[in-house]
Amino acid sequence: MNPISLLLLAGIVALVVFWVRSLPQKKRGGAVILLVLVIVSLAIILMAITGRLHWIGAVFAVLLPFARQIFPWILRLFPFLRFLYRRRQSQQPQAGNVSEVQTRILKMQLDHDAGVMYGQILAGPMRGRELGDLSEQQFIELLQYCRAEDGESARLLEAYLNKRFGDSWQDDDPGETTSTAPGNSHLTRQEAYQILGLEPGCSREEIISAHRRLMQKYHPDRGGSDYLAAKINQAKDCLLNP
């Protein structure tokens, strides 16, 4: 394979990875399965065009006599694979890796590990919909609704749009960007715990560590927003200075 083809392939892989990571976490598994099916289908089509499809039949024919010996071994592997899966799940951190910021119109989750945001609409004409399902025009309509009904929701949605699309969405925005300050909304201790992804009763060190980890992902200098950084700081101050 020549260098140009390698660069093109690397670019396609990078775009696919970026697309999968930009999806809501609930939809990533389905997207990966779809990609695998597309890759397998393209490989079969390519082999058919180049006249190499017969190799699949040849490999199958060679393995067929050994199927009776191989199949029992495959069955024995399933409990081991299940054990590995459960062990991996148990080793993954269960606390402090997802934060939640909720306003009157939106509920947003912040994935600490992937550094992405995903959320749901709680009120208004689009109530019940996932943000990841909206079109560009629907985002603008939702933003206009938030600006008219709740400034805090508008600031949160703008932070989401900046994180997901950069500054490109502002070209289609007919209005003015809402102030990035978090406003004067009172933050309860429960809300502060949710923003930092912590449980009540956590230590001072855990609060500081969660704050530092979130700021590394959502600070404006790292692709975040002034609004989210202010909310994270507000949550830390609420818990450390009751």
Side-chain angles (χ1 to χ4, degrees):
M1 185 177 291
N2 59 62
I4 296 179
S5 299
L6 285 174
L7 289 174
L8 181 61
L9 180 60
I12 294 174
V13 171
L15 288 174
V16 169
V17 171
F18 178 78
W19 172 69
V20 172
R21 293 187 63 179
S22 67
L23 292 174
Q25 192 174 26
K26 298 177 181 178
K27 298 187 176 183
R28 291 181 192 171
V32 171
I33 294 175
L34 178 62
L35 285 173
V36 171
L37 292 176
V38 170
I39 292 172
V40 172
S41 300
L42 291 176
I44 293 175
I45 293 173
L46 180 61
M47 294 181 70
I49 294 175
T50 58
R52 299 176 183 176
L53 193 60
H54 62 278
W55 282 104
I56 296 179
V59 171
F60 181 77
V62 170
L63 294 178
L64 189 59
F66 302 98
R68 296 181 61 182
Q69 289 78 20
I70 295 174
F71 189 68
W73 285 97
I74 295 177
L75 290 179
R76 293 177 187 177
L77 280 176
F78 277 115
F80 178 69
L81 294 175
R82 190 183 303 113
F83 168 77
L84 288 180
Y85 174 77
R86 289 178 177 175
R87 182 179 179 183
R88 180 181 177 185
Q89 290 294 104
S90 64
Q91 290 177 343
Q92 292 180 348
Q94 299 299 317
N97 61 344
V98 176
S99 299
E100 182 177 295
V101 180
Q102 182 170 327
T103 64
R104 187 163 63 85
I105 300 176
L106 299 172
K107 181 170 72 173
M108 201 79 67
Q109 288 81 36
L110 317 179
D111 189 322
H112 301 190
D113 299 327
V116 297
M117 302 171 62
Y118 52 95
Q120 302 83 37
I121 303 173
L122 303 178
M126 301 182 190
R127 178 182 178 181
R129 298 194 61 177
E130 298 279 343
L131 291 180
D133 295 335
L134 301 186
S135 66
E136 183 176 348
Q137 180 58 37
Q138 288 172 326
F139 274 124
I140 299 301
E141 293 174 3
L142 176 61
L143 181 57
Q144 291 175 332
Y145 174 80
C146 290
R147 285 172 176 166
E149 300 294 331
D150 183 51
E152 194 80 4
S153 298
R155 286 184 282 269
L156 181 58
L157 183 58
E158 287 174 355
Y160 171 87
L161 294 173
N162 286 332
K163 186 68 176 177
R164 181 171 175 180
F165 301 110
D167 297 333
S168 61
W169 68 271
Q170 298 181 16
D171 297 335
D172 300 320
D173 181 16
E176 296 182 359
T177 302
T178 313
S179 170
T180 56
N184 298 321
S185 60
H186 176 69
L187 194 66
T188 66
R189 290 183 64 84
Q190 181 60 36
E191 290 171 335
Y193 283 123
Q194 291 175 342
I195 290 174
L196 295 180
L198 298 173
E199 295 293 334
C202 62
S203 66
R204 178 184 180 89
E205 289 71 22
E206 290 175 317
I207 295 172
I208 295 175
S209 176
H211 172 267
R212 184 184 302 112
R213 182 171 59 250
L214 277 169
M215 291 300 285
Q216 289 174 349
K217 296 287 186 180
Y218 297 100
H219 192 277
D221 294 340
R222 297 177 180 269
S225 71
D226 293 330
Y227 172 77
L228 285 177
K231 291 294 287 187
I232 294 168
N233 286 331
Q234 187 181 7
K236 183 195 72 170
D237 294 338
C238 175
L239 297 178
L240 294 182
N241 305 296

